[in-house]
Amino acid sequence: MNFEVIPFLSLNGQAAAAIAFYEEYLGAKVIFKKTYQEMKEMVPNFSYEAGKDDYITHSVLEIGRNKLMIAEEEMDTTQPWQQGNSFSLCIQSKDYNEIDKLYRSLTKHKVVTVLAPFEKNSFSPGYGIIRDPFGVVIQLCVTVHDF
């Protein structure tokens, strides 16, 4: 198998502070970080509330030999953000077929909920989100990055 599973924290306006904290106290290295303002420059129809230019739309940190993803938004938009439902797993690979196969496998289960269908978007040739039978939100992403 040629993919990785990465914990993903949704921090509702505190992502930049969390990144700074992990850098200072855990020696985290920021591999990738994109703010709302930077995303708007890439994708003109990306919208967000005034005053949130520095909010983080996506980041990848390396802590030790592991990765951690941090952003602002909750992945399960069917529930309001609250501390405790701000966690998801992100399974990513550059191999489109690998991620598509995993998505199709997961969505065969009758209790899996599709939160976002697997399709191309502004940052990935294939991206989808599901909630598994145990309440764990899983993002499946065909990445274009080398991190």
Side-chain angles (χ1 to χ4, degrees):
M1 291 188 252
N2 188 26
F3 61 87
E4 58 188 342
V5 178
I6 302 172
F8 190 108
L9 303 178
S10 300
L11 295 179
N12 197 35
Q14 298 182 342
I19 291 167
F21 176 86
Y22 296 137
E23 283 181 295
E24 182 175 349
Y25 294 99
L26 293 177
K29 176 183 173 190
V30 176
I31 299 172
F32 180 86
K33 181 169 71 171
K34 185 76 64 187
T35 65
Y36 282 14
Q37 182 176 359
E38 292 167 331
M39 187 67 168
K40 177 79 173 172
E41 291 167 6
M42 288 177 46
V43 182
N45 65 346
F46 180 78
S47 62
Y48 56 93
E49 295 176 22
K52 295 186 176 182
D53 288 348
D54 294 327
Y55 273 36
I56 307 299
T57 188
H58 188 59
S59 69
V60 180
L61 282 62
E62 186 175 67
I63 303 173
R65 296 186 317 169
N66 299 295
K67 293 177 188 156
L68 177 66
M69 294 181 175
I70 299 175
E72 309 295 357
E73 303 87 14
E74 68 278 2
M75 293 297 111
D76 183 349
T77 58
T78 65
Q79 300 177 34
W81 187 94
Q82 66 181 25
Q83 196 166 11
N85 78 343
S86 56
F87 170 83
S88 65
L89 297 177
C90 182
I91 300 175
Q92 72 174 19
S93 173
K94 282 188 163 187
D95 184 339
Y96 182 97
N97 292 329
E98 184 85 43
I99 297 300
D100 181 56
K101 179 180 170 184
L102 290 169
Y103 180 85
R104 284 186 285 112
S105 176
L106 285 164
T107 56
K108 286 179 186 175
H109 193 282
K110 63 182 178 182
V111 186
V112 164
T113 302
V114 173
L115 300 173
F118 186 72
E119 59 190 16
K120 181 180 179 179
N121 64 22
S122 61
F123 61 84
S124 173
Y127 178 80
I129 307 171
I130 64 98
R131 183 175 50 239
D132 77 11
F134 313 101
V136 176
V137 174
I138 302 173
Q139 303 172 67
L140 297 112
C141 181
V142 178
T143 186
V144 295
H145 301 287
D146 288 322
F147 49 71

